[in-house]
Amino acid sequence: MPQYVYQFAEGSKDQKDLLGGKGANLAEMTNLGLPVPPGFTISTEACRVYLTTGKEPDGLAEEVSKHLAALEERMGKRLGDPKDPLLVSVRSGAKFSMPGMMDTVLNVGLNDKSVNGLAAKAGDERFAWDSYRRLLQMYGKTVLGIDGGRFEERLEKAKDAKGVESDVDLDDDDLRQLVAEFNDVIRAESGRDFPQDPREQLDLASRAVFDSWNTERARLYRRQERIPEDLGTAVNIVTMVFGNMGPDSGTGVAFTRDPATGEQGVYGDYLPNAQGEDVVAGIRNTLSLSELEQQDKTSYDQLLEIMSTLERHYRDLCDIEFTIERGKLWMLQTRVGKRTPAAAFRIAGQLIDEGLIGEDEALSRVSGDQLAMLLFPQFDPRADRQLIGRGMAASPGAAVGKAVFESHRAAEWADRGEDVILVRRETNPDDLRGMVASKGILTSRGGKTSHAAVVARGMGRTCVVGAEALQVDHTARQFSTRDGVRVSEGDVISIDGSTGEVFLGAVPVVPSAVVEVLQGGEPSGISGTDAEVVGAVRRLMAHADSRRRLGVRANADTPEDAQRARTLGARGIGLCRTEHMFLGDRRKIVERLILATTDEERTSALDALLPLQRQDFTEIFAAMDGYPVTVRLLDPPLHEFLPDLTELSVRVGVAEATGQPDEDAATLLTEVQRLHEQNPMLGLRGVRLGLVVPGLFTLQVRAIAQAAATLIQSGRDPKPEIMVPLVAAVQELETIRETAAATVAEVANETDVELAFPIGTMIELPRACVTAGQIAEAADFFSFGTNDLTQTVWGFSRDDVEASFFSEYLEAGIFGVSPFESLDVDGVGRLVSMAVDEGRQARTDIKLGICGEHGGDPDSIHFFDSVGLDYVSCSPFRVPIARLEAGRSAVAVGGAGSSDSR
């Protein structure tokens, strides 16, 4: 028979899987000899059985009886005894902290008889009846599912009748009356009386804690924090100690350091004559711990000594809950405390200096998500603001500007010195000029992998997408909210890309000093806490770089992005998208190339594009001189370079209807109709485009080779790599490779410069993954395009699914997180791992990287490191995050860096 119940002395802080965080830490404090009320823990294994089968596991009731009897013997009391009752609390406690998400019931064991025994034993009628009304209130809400407002209404009426503001001003007669009223509420709402059997109270309260694992708020919290659904919670049965026994009693919360700043000192709140739930409920104003020193110096000094003991023992910031019962201090809980990103880095640095942890441990204590919050400007938390909408936080930062609703107008306003926010229902490639010009981007549609989100992250622009409550009217150049707020062109708005919030008016912005440090600068005008945070970031980033095996490159399409990525620590470009180079004025030339019907027309278009492409590559190679630049040959479907079919059809139809036929437009319409595809993302794009449109890829390869030759002649060290997109069969790659190699050789002969470039492919189709061994025979490198690979593995169109049904999938627990946000390890990851193994078996020297959005996701980076990729590539502003997480991954597996492209 498995064991499901454990005394506190049987456990330790390392048994959170079994005992939950609270139970494990109560056990640890017990074994440290700290004053912990005696008790026992029902394990998470029991909860999992209950959640799976709908009933408690066999033997659990007997185990609880055995441990309860031992507790009664130790305390010299029986649960709910009419004369001298033992009372217990029933508390939740999962492996991962979920503050306020699950349920607790205090004072279990009180009933209509034992309340009198408690009053007599304590010599305090008011205390006993206050404890009883608390039990009825918690039990009714938690165990019986009664609306808590029903109890609050009666409590407020009692205070109003008495003419007092606080419940501590109600006397024992008032509380007796409240108990009677609460019993009436329970009877009316549940159809039964409050159970007078103490053991029934205990069993039903324990079951309610199990059930609270699946409350809506708990499930939502787990999704947000990426906590697995199947862990379950432990139940802790703890002897009650009372903070509501008068002015020499109370309850409080303390932190061994300031969780907001990391400042060393004594931080926390204390509430006299109260029970634990009162502090977090905010029913009365709390006192600072310094005021506790004035009231009860003995308990205060003991608390400080215990805080010091716990911080040295846990080697981290500790969050502590305590109760004082008539001058006796009791420890009710401790855990490693949550903290702000700035505090996380500062505390990690402090603990190194104090000799409590080493640099590897410090690196494991911070995260890429925390670093991201420090990299972007943020709104001043002290400033007033008017929230008018909320969407998805697509790209971090804080942006303030005038609302502009058209891309070309955003660029025009920016050119004359205006700060603008581009507001669209959704964006497309034609909006790029306005997106570049804007301080931030706001859309009412789309998800985290929509065009707006992906482009904004790549540029480091603040972006909020999917703000569905905003009704955007491009024609009227305004948007309105459901609350009736109307924002017209030129009105100032503020958007927070870290929270998804949209504010009316200008909210003050605080810049980031951390970015300046990561770019090698020395920020001026900072001191104290800020300087210590910046120093800790610099220190831990240097250690991460020294430990990581994974190289870090950037996705960059312009020399400005390439230079920015380099200053942030990128050692190469893992994805240079050439399609962005063909937008704007060049789009018409590409259109001419695609629609060409003669060799002369085709050659004319290619000749016009060649010098433009050559200059593009020259500038990017120069910005990343000495480091590899992986150029992806043209990838997008044809329709992105052709006139819109619907608009062109209308134009031709109107011309014919008015008797003024437009023959050029009609001819163009015929060609567009001929090339039109029902599903262009799975149509004529990538390598297929290069094979079907003569000269297109040759043009690009020639431009790459000529740019490299020019730079080599000037003493520079360009290192281009040519990447062929959307390959599904080795024959496709072999054909393009042969032509590309011949073109590079031609340029080498023409310029008398030795040229040899790696030629590889993006692995972004399932077939490419399962035939990776064949493809590797023709490839010098693989770069996994996990955006499209995720689409094709799942059968998703990422531009559609996030907005249409992802919320339902997340709600139902089908996803823990969007597979476009963090890699689907079980599906997509398995294919990546398979391709890595087959590729390396076929060619041991093949270079392997990843250039999808997942290259900047912390969890995904750890996976890529584990399967042996050589580098990750991400947007420039996520390069520091990738560097940090690559170091953390190496520390987690005990490795050290050796990648030649780190």
Side-chain angles (χ1 to χ4, degrees):
M1 182 77 69
Q3 181 179 353
Y4 291 114
V5 185
Y6 298 82
Q7 293 182 30
F8 290 163
E10 293 182 85
S12 74
K13 64 181 176 65
D14 300 322
Q15 293 180 288
K16 291 180 181 178
D17 284 316
L18 178 68
L19 304 176
K22 188 173 295 181
N25 289 322
L26 284 169
E28 191 74 10
M29 289 195 294
T30 298
N31 292 323
L32 284 173
L34 301 182
V36 176
F40 55 88
T41 299
I42 304 173
S43 72
T44 57
E45 291 180 348
C47 179
R48 287 193 289 272
V49 172
Y50 174 80
L51 295 175
T52 302
T53 66
K55 61 181 182 179
E56 294 176 351
D58 293 339
L60 178 61
E62 290 77 10
E63 275 196 81
V64 170
S65 295
K66 174 184 172 184
H67 282 78
L68 180 59
L71 180 62
E72 289 174 330
E73 182 176 354
R74 178 175 178 181
M75 301 304 297
K77 302 178 181 181
R78 286 190 303 108
L79 183 68
D81 182 84
K83 294 183 178 179
D84 187 10
L86 170 67
L87 304 182
V88 297
S89 62
V90 180
R91 298 174 178 269
S92 61
K95 176 182 179 179
F96 299 106
S97 177
M98 297 172 55
M101 295 301 108
M102 291 181 295
D103 290 328
T104 292
V105 182
L106 305 181
N107 308 323
V108 170
L110 277 177
N111 56 27
D112 293 346
K113 293 180 180 179
S114 61
V115 66
N116 295 306
L118 180 65
K121 199 69 179 176
D124 189 336
E125 292 275 342
R126 187 201 176 279
F127 151 71
W129 287 98
D130 182 48
S131 299
Y132 195 14
R133 70 92 185 167
R134 290 171 184 270
L135 169 61
L136 294 171
Q137 188 169 352
M138 288 187 187
Y139 193 94
K141 179 181 177 183
T142 299
V143 180
L144 301 178
I146 299 171
D147 180 4
R150 299 298 306 276
F151 299 104
E152 290 293 337
E153 290 169 7
R154 281 156 179 77
L155 180 58
E156 289 302 317
K157 286 181 180 178
K159 290 190 288 186
D160 290 344
K162 186 82 171 182
V164 298
E165 295 185 359
S166 173
D167 56 354
V168 297
D169 295 318
L170 298 176
D171 61 25
D172 55 314
D173 288 333
D174 301 321
L175 293 166
R176 278 192 188 89
Q177 180 60 35
L178 261 182
V179 165
E181 293 183 19
F182 282 5
N183 269 313
D184 290 341
V185 169
I186 289 173
R187 189 177 302 110
E189 296 292 326
S190 70
R192 62 160 295 175
D193 289 327
F194 174 73
Q196 296 294 302
D197 180 358
R199 180 57 190 270
E200 183 184 2
Q201 294 176 19
L202 177 63
D203 291 341
L204 291 178
S206 299
R207 194 172 303 160
V209 171
F210 283 161
D211 287 333
S212 71
W213 175 257
N214 280 329
T215 60
E216 183 177 350
R217 68 176 186 270
R219 292 170 66 92
L220 176 60
Y221 185 87
R222 287 198 296 275
R223 285 197 298 272
Q224 291 175 333
E225 298 297 318
R226 302 187 189 179
I227 297 172
E229 286 287 319
D230 59 354
L231 295 180
T233 180
V235 178
N236 300 286
I237 312 298
V238 189
T239 301
M240 280 298 305
V241 290
F242 300 97
N244 59 330
M245 294 188 76
D248 59 352
S249 303
T251 189
V253 176
F255 299 91
T256 57
R257 300 176 193 234
D258 187 342
T261 67
E263 186 77 26
Q264 293 174 282
V266 180
Y267 300 89
D269 298 308
Y270 178 71
L271 196 58
N273 199 17
Q275 286 198 323
E277 300 302 303
D278 296 343
V279 177
V280 294
I283 63 171
R284 304 204 312 268
N285 291 332
T286 59
L287 306 178
S288 67
L289 290 185
S290 60
E291 291 175 275
L292 170 62
E293 182 181 17
Q294 306 302 316
Q295 293 188 4
D296 185 350
K297 186 167 180 9
T298 299
S299 296
Y300 174 82
D301 290 342
Q302 186 184 7
L303 175 63
L304 262 58
E305 183 179 342
I306 290 173
M307 289 168 65
S308 177
T309 297
L310 288 172
E311 182 168 277
R312 288 196 308 272
H313 184 71
Y314 281 84
R315 300 177 304 128
D316 207 344
L317 159 70
C318 289
D319 171 353
I320 297 163
E321 294 180 17
F322 65 93
T323 283
I324 299 172
E325 179 183 290
R326 290 184 171 172
K328 166 67 175 174
L329 177 66
W330 293 96
M331 306 305 295
L332 302 184
Q333 179 174 329
T334 191
R335 61 190 170 203
V336 171
K338 294 184 181 296
R339 65 209 70 185
T340 64
F345 278 89
R346 188 181 184 193
I347 291 170
Q350 290 170 344
L351 294 175
I352 295 172
D353 294 337
E354 293 168 25
L356 290 177
I357 61 175
E359 288 189 320
D360 278 2
E361 176 71 16
L363 189 57
S364 72
R365 300 271 184 93
V366 296
S367 71
D369 288 333
Q370 290 171 327
L371 179 61
M373 299 301 291
L374 299 179
L375 293 180
F376 294 90
Q378 299 175 2
F379 289 128
D380 187 340
R382 299 164 297 183
D384 292 333
R385 61 195 73 187
Q386 181 183 347
L387 181 69
I388 59 172
R390 190 187 301 272
M392 297 182 194
S395 184
V400 180
K402 294 180 178 179
V404 179
F405 294 82
E406 295 168 282
S407 179
H408 72 277
R409 292 179 66 82
E412 291 168 1
W413 285 42
D415 287 343
R416 65 178 191 237
E418 302 274 12
D419 289 342
V420 299
I421 304 291
L422 178 63
V423 182
R424 304 284 291 166
R425 290 195 191 96
E426 57 200 356
T427 64
N428 60 57
D430 288 337
D431 291 318
L432 187 61
R433 183 175 172 226
M435 296 171 77
V436 170
S438 300
K439 295 295 182 182
I441 301 150
L442 170 64
T443 71
S444 61
R445 299 175 184 166
K448 287 188 177 181
T449 54
S450 62
H451 176 270
V454 172
V455 173
R457 282 195 293 271
M459 296 189 302
R461 289 291 184 279
T462 297
C463 181
V464 174
V465 299
E468 296 177 349
L470 306 184
Q471 301 298 314
V472 177
D473 186 340
H474 293 140
T475 304
R477 295 177 185 165
Q478 65 181 23
F479 72 79
S480 57
T481 73
R482 291 170 181 167
D483 296 330
V485 176
R486 190 178 304 277
V487 173
S488 300
E489 185 175 68
D491 292 343
V492 175
I493 59 173
S494 303
I495 63 173
D496 190 330
S498 301
T499 65
E501 294 173 312
V502 182
F503 303 102
L504 184 64
V507 179
V509 174
V510 180
S512 168
V514 171
V515 170
E516 194 172 346
V517 166
L518 293 176
Q519 291 176 328
E522 288 294 336
S524 58
I526 66 168
S527 59
T529 298
D530 291 339
E532 199 171 338
V533 171
V534 165
V537 170
R538 180 192 284 118
R539 179 182 196 172
L540 291 176
M541 288 299 296
H543 187 63
D545 286 336
S546 73
R547 295 290 276 126
R548 64 185 168 89
R549 182 195 63 81
L550 268 178
V552 177
R553 301 188 190 180
N555 300 341
D557 313 329
T558 66
E560 293 79 14
D561 278 350
Q563 185 59 46
R564 183 180 298 114
R566 185 169 185 147
T567 61
L568 288 171
R571 294 298 176 257
I573 292 176
L575 175 62
C576 176
R577 305 176 186 89
T578 55
E579 55 267 23
H580 290 167
M581 302 172 184
F582 289 118
L583 298 175
D585 296 338
R586 304 182 191 182
R587 182 170 175 170
K588 282 291 183 183
I589 305 176
V590 180
E591 181 182 308
R592 281 167 43 203
L593 174 63
I594 294 170
L595 299 177
T597 57
T598 67
D599 290 342
E600 291 76 13
E601 290 175 347
R602 189 175 298 110
T603 299
S604 172
L606 291 171
D607 289 345
L609 286 171
L610 179 61
L612 301 174
Q613 276 274 271
R614 183 171 58 237
Q615 183 62 29
D616 292 332
F617 294 134
T618 300
E619 293 175 357
I620 290 175
F621 295 163
M624 200 53 75
D625 190 53
Y627 293 119
V629 176
T630 305
V631 180
R632 182 178 72 185
L633 301 181
L634 199 62
D635 180 50
L638 285 179
H639 78 277
E640 292 194 12
F641 299 107
L642 296 175
D644 180 82
L645 176 60
T646 302
E647 291 179 3
L648 191 57
S649 299
V650 170
R651 175 181 161 189
V652 171
V654 169
E656 292 176 349
T658 57
Q660 299 176 326
D662 185 335
E663 292 188 7
D664 289 341
T667 301
L668 183 59
L669 176 60
T670 300
E671 288 299 303
V672 171
Q673 288 173 328
R674 180 177 65 83
L675 295 170
H676 177 69
E677 297 176 299
Q678 293 298 324
N679 191 345
M681 295 306 292
L682 294 178
L684 186 56
R685 54 172 289 217
V687 65
R688 305 158 193 169
L689 195 62
L691 290 170
V692 170
V693 179
L696 179 59
F697 278 10
T698 300
L699 154 78
Q700 293 193 288
V701 173
R702 183 174 295 278
I704 292 168
Q706 290 179 349
T710 300
L711 289 169
I712 291 171
Q713 289 170 335
S714 66
R716 308 295 285 271
D717 184 23
K719 294 186 175 181
E721 301 177 344
I722 297 171
M723 182 160 67
V724 183
L726 213 72
V727 165
V730 66
Q731 293 85 353
E732 294 173 315
L733 180 58
E734 287 171 341
T735 303
I736 297 297
R737 184 185 181 99
E738 182 179 353
T739 304
T743 302
V744 172
E746 285 178 16
V747 175
N749 288 331
E750 292 166 1
T751 59
D752 197 26
V753 174
E754 185 177 342
L755 299 174
F757 309 144
I759 299 175
T761 183
M762 278 185 97
I763 301 294
E764 49 192 329
L765 295 173
R767 191 180 193 280
C769 291
V770 299
T771 61
Q774 298 174 23
I775 295 174
E777 298 288 351
D780 298 314
F781 65 87
F782 287 168
S783 181
F784 290 92
T786 53
N787 296 344
D788 276 353
L789 186 56
T790 298
Q791 287 195 100
T792 51
V793 168
W794 280 91
F796 287 155
S797 167
R798 71 175 180 227
D799 292 333
D800 301 318
V801 294
E802 281 202 332
S804 60
F805 64 82
F806 265 32
S807 59
E808 285 82 0
Y809 267 45
L810 290 165
E811 181 70 28
I814 297 171
F815 293 153
V817 62
S818 165
F820 292 113
E821 188 176 340
S822 192
L823 191 79
D824 161 30
V825 172
D826 295 332
V828 178
R830 186 175 181 187
L831 286 175
V832 170
S833 182
M834 181 188 305
V836 168
D837 292 342
E838 290 198 8
R840 284 233 160 95
Q841 286 174 12
R843 185 167 186 165
T844 57
D845 63 343
I846 193 168
K847 183 77 80 173
L848 303 173
I850 178 265
C851 61
E853 284 285 297
H854 300 101
D857 171 63
D859 289 342
S860 304
I861 290 168
H862 288 246
F863 170 78
F864 296 134
D865 194 18
S866 73
V867 298
L869 297 194
D870 296 301
Y871 68 86
V872 297
S873 187
C874 56
S875 63
F877 284 90
R878 294 197 72 81
V879 164
I881 297 163
R883 289 166 52 201
L884 183 77
E885 288 296 344
R888 294 182 72 237
S889 178
V891 165
V893 298
S898 61
S899 173
D900 62 3
S901 59
R902 276 181 14 214

